[in-house]
């Protein structure tokens, strides 16, 4: 918070208004009541009498109204948990590759710290809506193995795409070098399609251990085979033979994720 003192000099004509910067100081709560209490504590240290103050003004009026109440406190909970690695969480950009990879990287490399911050927020938050959202993110997203695997897959792919994207933006980039970079990216994706899923699982399992969650995909619900009802005289001998000999193949949860998520993304 920045403290600025404004004085009105009535001894001159015309009357002049002077502003003096006094100091910066840290506040953990930006609500109106908290800011006023901080002001009460700071002024005596500056040998200023609060009784001589004729008014107070705050730049961010939305804080005074409570629109962003406790936002600073929530941010402090987050930064206290991710201070060591220091990758800032960012909103997802739909236009810049580098912003996208930064968003995913912050989650993949700090998943345990972010989850701990969310659980701390659940414990100290008084707003039921914020508490519910934090619980959902901590338990239903970062608390699930398939979410972690998905993040790792995206991180591997986007990191490679980002390198090529940067190379293509060089001012002196030649067309032959650009084509080589694009072909190298295609080769990477082809190879990653074959071996990348296993690599992603290994990375995700390490993160899951730190998160203390079971590194297993949830079992799929068995789908009941629906057959159209036919009268006995409508069923052919071939259909009876097929139904009795046709093997029933059921995908495992891991295989289903590989086919319907991993392969789908690569293709």
């Amino acid at each position: 918070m920045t403290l600025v003192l404004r004085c009105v000099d009535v001894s001159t004509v015309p009357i002049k208004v002077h502003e003096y910067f006094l100091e910066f100081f840290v506040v953990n709560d930006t609500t109106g009541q908290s800011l006023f209490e901080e002001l009460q504590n700071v002024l005596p240290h500056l040998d200023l009498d609060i009784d001589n103050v004729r008014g107070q003004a705050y730049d961010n009026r939305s804080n005074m109204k409570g629109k962003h109440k406790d936002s600073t406190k929530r941010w402090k909970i987050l930064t206290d948990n991710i201070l060591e690695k220091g990758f800032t969480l960012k909103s997802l950009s739909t236009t810049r590759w580098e912003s996208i990879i930064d968003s995913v990287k912050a989650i993949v490399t700090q998943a345990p710290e972010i989850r701990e911050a969310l659980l701390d927020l659940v414990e100290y938050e008084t707003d039921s809506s914020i508490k519910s959202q934090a619980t959902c993110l901590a338990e239903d997203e970062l608390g699930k193995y398939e979410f972690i695997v998905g993040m790792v897959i995206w991180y591997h792919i986007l990191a490679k795409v980002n390198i090529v994207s940067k190379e293509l933006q060089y001012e002196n980039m030649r067309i032959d070098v650009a084509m080589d970079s694009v072909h190298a990216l295609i080769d990477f994706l082809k190879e990653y399609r074959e071996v990348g899923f296993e690599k992603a699982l290994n990375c995700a399992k390490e993160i899951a251990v730190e998160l203390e969650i079971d590194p297993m995909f949830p079992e799929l619900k068995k789908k009941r085979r629906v057959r159209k009802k036919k009268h006995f005289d409508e069923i052919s001998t071939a259909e009876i033979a097929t139904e009795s000999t046709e093997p029933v193949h059921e995908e495992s949860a891991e295989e289903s994720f590989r086919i319907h998520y991993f392969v789908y993304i690569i293709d």
Side-chain angles (χ1 to χ4, degrees), residues 3-12 14-22 43 46-49 52-57:
L3 182 60
V4 176
L5 183 65
R6 178 179 293 172
C7 304
V8 180
D9 186 356
V10 295
S11 63
T12 61
I15 295 174
K16 294 183 178 180
V17 177
H18 303 281
E19 285 190 350
Y20 301 95
F21 165 77
L22 298 181
L43 290 180
L46 299 173
D47 293 327
L48 295 173
D49 188 349
N52 293 328
V53 175
R54 293 295 178 264
Q56 305 169 55

Side-chain angles (χ1 to χ4, degrees), residues 160-161 163-165 167-168 170 173-190:
K160 195 68 176 181
V161 172
I163 293 174
V164 177
S165 177
E167 291 177 351
L168 296 178
Y170 291 158
M173 171 59 70
R174 302 199 318 265
I175 186 66
D176 58 328
V177 177
M179 291 304 298
D180 288 342
S181 296
V182 172
H183 288 313
L185 175 60
I186 294 173
D187 290 340
F188 163 78
L189 292 174
K190 289 179 179 178

Side-chain angles (χ1 to χ4, degrees), residues 108-235:
V108 171
T109 58
Q110 302 174 131
E113 292 84 356
I114 294 172
R115 188 166 186 248
E116 188 63 32
L118 290 168
L119 294 175
D120 286 347
L121 184 59
V122 171
E123 183 178 351
Y124 295 110
E125 182 59 53
T126 56
D127 187 318
S128 60
S129 176
I130 299 296
K131 186 188 288 282
S132 176
Q133 291 178 41
T135 301
C136 180
L137 290 171
E139 301 298 341
D140 296 337
E141 301 296 343
L142 287 172
K144 290 188 175 180
Y145 180 60
E146 61 267 33
F147 176 83
I148 302 300
V149 176
M151 285 292 97
V152 171
I153 292 170
W154 275 113
Y155 179 58
H156 288 169
I157 296 173
L158 291 174
K160 195 68 176 181
V161 172
N162 185 50
I163 293 174
V164 177
S165 177
K166 283 184 175 181
E167 291 177 351
L168 296 178
Q169 295 176 48
Y170 291 158
E171 292 182 1
N172 57 350
M173 171 59 70
R174 302 199 318 265
I175 186 66
D176 58 328
V177 177
M179 291 304 298
D180 288 342
S181 296
V182 172
H183 288 313
L185 175 60
I186 294 173
D187 290 340
F188 163 78
L189 292 174
K190 289 179 179 178
E191 181 183 1
Y192 193 73
R193 189 183 191 277
E194 300 302 319
V195 301
F197 187 65
E198 193 64 33
K199 291 182 179 179
L201 289 181
N202 292 333
C203 293
K205 285 176 182 177
E206 293 180 5
I207 298 173
V209 170
E210 293 185 68
L211 290 168
E212 297 182 349
I213 61 176
D214 189 10
M216 297 288 291
F217 290 95
E219 289 299 322
L220 299 175
K221 294 181 179 179
K222 292 185 178 180
K223 295 182 178 180
R224 190 176 65 177
R225 189 173 180 180
V226 179
R227 295 186 177 89
K228 184 179 179 181
K229 187 175 181 180
K230 295 182 178 180
H231 296 289
F232 181 77
D233 57 353
E234 295 177 319
I235 302 176

